Amino acid sequence: MSVPRTWRNRRALYSLEGSKCQKCGKYYFPGRTRCLDCNTSGLENHNFSGTGKVATYSWVYTPPKGFNNRIPYCLAIVELDEGPKLTTQLVAVEEGDVEIGMPVEFSFRKISSEGDEGVITYGFKFRPKNYPNHLKKK
Amino acid sequence: MTKKDKTGIIGYGVYIPRFRIKVEEIARIWGQPGEAVKKGLGVLEKSIPDMDEDTITISVEASRNAIKMANTNPDDIEAVYVGSESHPYAVKPTATIVAEANRITPVTTAADLEFACKAGTAGIQMCLGMVKSNQIKVGLAIGADCSQGRPSDALEYTASAGACALLIGNENVIATIDHTESYTTDTPDFWRREGATYPSHGGRFTGEPAYFRHVISAAKSIMKHTNTSPDDFDYVVFHEPNSKFPLATAKMLGFPKEKVEPSLTVKYIGNTYSASSMIGLAAVLDIIKPDDRILMVSYGSGSGSDAFIFTITDEIEKHRGLVPTVQNYLDHKQYLDYAFYTKHRGKIKIH
């Protein structure tokens, strides 16, 4: 990711900033300025709560360039509590731990690094909800 | 009591990565007697960051916990200091990323601090001064490290990863900071030159003239200036490079080991460097009662110690259970063997 592009997206990456339509209440991630449902413009920024559930997932063994040292890793589509879905990596899980509907929460991690001298991109990934107490019986 | 007198900790949070390696596993690779090394250091295992964790990510995680515990509006935080000796960038602050990730920006000051293992407690003192002088409402002081030990070096058994964040303010204070002072000299016991991957150290020189001299002098000095003695404190927290040093220090100062043991997380996570004494403090705050008092003395090679006296308020009870405790992080762990450990710590270069 280029430096200006990462910088423009930093609030979405760092704290799940999207947008909400004041008129019809629909949430968007990533954020947008005009509502797709009611065509209202000038949507306000909204910080998502950072909790949701796994809509679907896949374990990646053949990754794109730059992710070779992390395989296997879990790529998932997470449905946020407010409604929008996003693609993200699941962390703090091993194969067999993940299932559809599993509650998850925001985790701050390194996304990529341009070699040893380039910029490091940080942002959201997701992990089991109530980490590190997620395995304890209620 | 005025607001100035009431300045102190309004929230704290820790983060410890879930991976561990046992001391015996490291000793096995280098042909050392594992049981003897473990017993000598008083360390069973140490924490290791995940492949996508570094000092910035664990600082953000710890500070998110602190902010949640204090229920503070990020706009009220007007200073962010991150103390570490493993900032991911040589030039480009850790603190700006931590501030942005917590939505503290843009009306804030932010800076990275470096003083070996006491850079985090230096941040506490800076925040304390700014809050007391009414320059800021709330300050965020973080000690965090993903420390590196040279393969086969003595430090490799303990150099680990962890972060602790303290919010310093004067409203809804859970622990007042009653007094702080420091003891600093030029003592080259441990260093890392620009561009060097691993730190170097002076072996046995790191003990008597370095750690013990500074920690004991700072502790004696703060007790003298506040007219207190070991009997006036319910807990004592020292920097924890291993279990042996803080236990020996407690004995030399006249503290029973029961007052220092609750802080000794080093047995289970190793030496988290800038986070070490602060995670020890957090472990004590997790179990402490109102009106109890804590003496904390950090240590940073090079060398210096920051000493603090805290008194716990009734407010602490309202903030329990909101975020994971130190024990919660200690309990959730997964062991790695030495091969995976080298991969996680970037000791295997892939080009």
Side-chain angles (χ1 to χ4, degrees):
Chain A
M1 224 187 278
S2 72
V3 171
R5 190 178 160 197
T6 305
W7 179 77
R8 277 195 296 273
N9 291 329
R10 69 195 185 285
R11 290 215 142 176
L13 285 165
Y14 290 3
S15 53
L16 290 177
E17 183 182 273
S19 56
K20 180 187 178 186
C21 176
Q22 308 89 297
K23 193 176 172 194
C24 73
K26 192 174 169 72
Y27 292 95
Y28 291 95
F29 188 86
R32 50 183 298 121
T33 53
R34 184 177 289 273
C35 182
L36 288 169
D37 277 5
C38 67
N39 209 28
T40 298
S41 62
L43 303 194
E44 62 188 24
N45 290 335
H46 174 79
N47 288 320
F48 285 89
S49 62
T51 53
K53 60 186 180 191
V54 174
T56 188
Y57 67 95
S58 178
W59 283 90
V60 177
Y61 278 85
T62 311
K65 194 180 169 191
F67 294 85
N68 277 318
N69 62 348
R70 294 181 196 171
I71 54 173
Y73 61 84
C74 187
L75 200 63
I77 293 175
V78 165
E79 183 180 350
L80 298 172
D81 287 345
E82 295 90 338
K85 291 179 179 151
L86 50 81
T87 303
T88 183
Q89 198 175 319
L90 295 189
V91 293
V93 290
E94 305 297 327
E95 279 189 280
D97 292 348
V98 182
E99 52 189 43
I100 288 171
M102 185 174 99
V104 289
E105 66 183 21
F106 175 97
S107 173
F108 192 83
R109 298 280 180 135
K110 257 193 308 194
I111 305 289
S112 62
S113 173
E114 292 178 5
D116 290 337
E117 295 187 9
V119 73
I120 307 168
T121 302
Y122 294 92
F124 65 81
K125 293 184 182 179
F126 279 70
R127 66 188 175 202
K129 195 176 174 186
N130 296 325
Y131 181 89
N133 298 323
H134 55 292
L135 298 176
K136 288 186 179 167
K137 286 177 186 166
K138 286 177 185 170
Chain B
M1 200 181 255
T2 65
K3 263 192 170 182
K4 266 187 189 176
D5 298 327
K6 280 200 317 183
T7 304
I9 301 167
I10 63 167
Y12 65 94
V14 301
Y15 181 83
I16 300 161
R18 69 186 172 120
F19 294 105
R20 305 281 187 277
I21 184 167
K22 292 187 176 180
V23 163
E24 290 114 309
E25 171 66 3
I26 300 171
R28 182 178 70 86
I29 301 301
W30 301 112
Q32 297 297 312
E35 199 59 38
V37 175
K38 193 168 73 175
K39 205 172 164 189
L41 294 169
V43 177
L44 307 174
E45 54 204 43
K46 69 169 188 172
S47 60
I48 305 165
D50 206 341
M51 304 285 292
D52 54 0
E53 290 181 309
D54 63 15
T55 295
I56 289 175
T57 69
I58 65 175
S59 296
V60 171
E61 293 283 358
S63 51
R64 283 171 65 92
N65 279 338
I67 291 167
K68 190 176 174 187
M69 176 190 255
N71 194 24
T72 296
N73 180 351
D75 287 340
D76 289 341
I77 302 171
E78 295 166 305
V80 179
Y81 297 117
V82 185
S84 180
E85 58 144 64
S86 54
H87 293 290
Y89 288 98
V91 180
K92 161 83 186 86
T94 298
T96 54
I97 298 170
V98 173
E100 190 82 54
N102 284 300
R103 307 190 67 81
I104 296 167
T105 51
V107 184
T108 184
T109 181
D112 290 359
L113 308 177
E114 194 280 317
F115 195 144
C117 298
K118 84 157 191 77
T121 56
I124 301 172
Q125 291 179 326
M126 290 165 71
C127 288
L128 180 70
M130 292 178 81
V131 172
K132 274 195 159 183
S133 59
N134 292 322
Q135 290 183 74
I136 62 168
K137 195 168 180 185
V138 177
L140 174 59
I142 299 169
D145 258 307
C146 290
S147 55
Q148 282 278 17
R150 192 187 306 275
S152 86
D153 186 86
L155 288 180
E156 196 186 16
Y157 293 104
T158 53
S160 67
C164 182
L166 299 186
L167 281 167
I168 309 299
N170 54 21
E171 287 178 11
N172 302 320
V173 174
I174 61 172
T176 57
I177 301 176
D178 306 331
H179 194 72
T180 181
E181 62 179 72
S182 301
Y183 185 91
T184 308
T185 72
D186 177 18
T187 307
D189 60 327
F190 171 97
W191 61 90
R192 180 166 64 84
R193 294 281 298 275
E194 180 73 35
T197 305
Y198 299 112
S200 304
H201 57 87
R204 288 170 64 86
F205 185 68
T206 59
E208 206 58 51
Y211 180 93
F212 291 108
R213 178 183 168 206
H214 291 79
V215 173
I216 288 172
S217 299
K220 282 184 174 171
S221 180
I222 197 170
M223 285 194 281
K224 185 182 170 192
H225 292 144
T226 55
N227 199 23
T228 52
S229 71
D231 291 341
D232 295 312
F233 300 99
D234 301 279
Y235 297 93
V236 63
V237 181
F238 300 117
H239 172 54
E240 306 173 15
N242 49 52
S243 292
K244 200 169 62 175
F245 279 23
L247 282 168
T249 306
K251 195 173 178 184
M252 285 184 238
L253 287 166
F255 286 93
K257 68 176 180 183
E258 292 75 23
K259 289 188 179 181
V260 68
E261 275 179 335
S263 67
L264 293 182
T265 57
V266 63
K267 283 190 276 190
Y268 309 105
I269 56 172
N271 180 1
T272 52
Y273 283 52
S274 297
S276 175
S277 56
M278 293 172 70
I279 290 178
L281 174 69
V284 170
L285 291 174
D286 283 343
I287 58 167
I288 204 163
K289 300 188 302 294
D291 298 325
D292 281 356
R293 294 177 91 189
I294 305 170
L295 171 66
M296 175 171 91
V297 187
S298 64
Y299 174 72
S301 288
S303 292
S305 280
D306 300 327
F308 299 83
I309 293 174
F310 302 98
T311 302
I312 309 306
T313 72
D314 294 338
E315 180 76 19
I316 198 166
E317 303 291 359
K318 296 181 198 165
H319 299 262
R320 296 209 193 274
L322 298 176
V323 296
T325 63
V326 173
Q327 190 62 47
N328 293 152
Y329 282 107
L330 298 186
D331 291 343
H332 182 62
K333 59 187 174 184
Q334 182 175 343
Y335 289 105
L336 299 181
D337 62 16
Y338 194 87
F340 271 101
Y341 157 71
T342 58
K343 183 180 169 190
H344 272 244
R345 296 308 293 123
K347 293 172 196 282
I348 304 173
K349 300 292 180 194
I350 304 170
H351 295 289

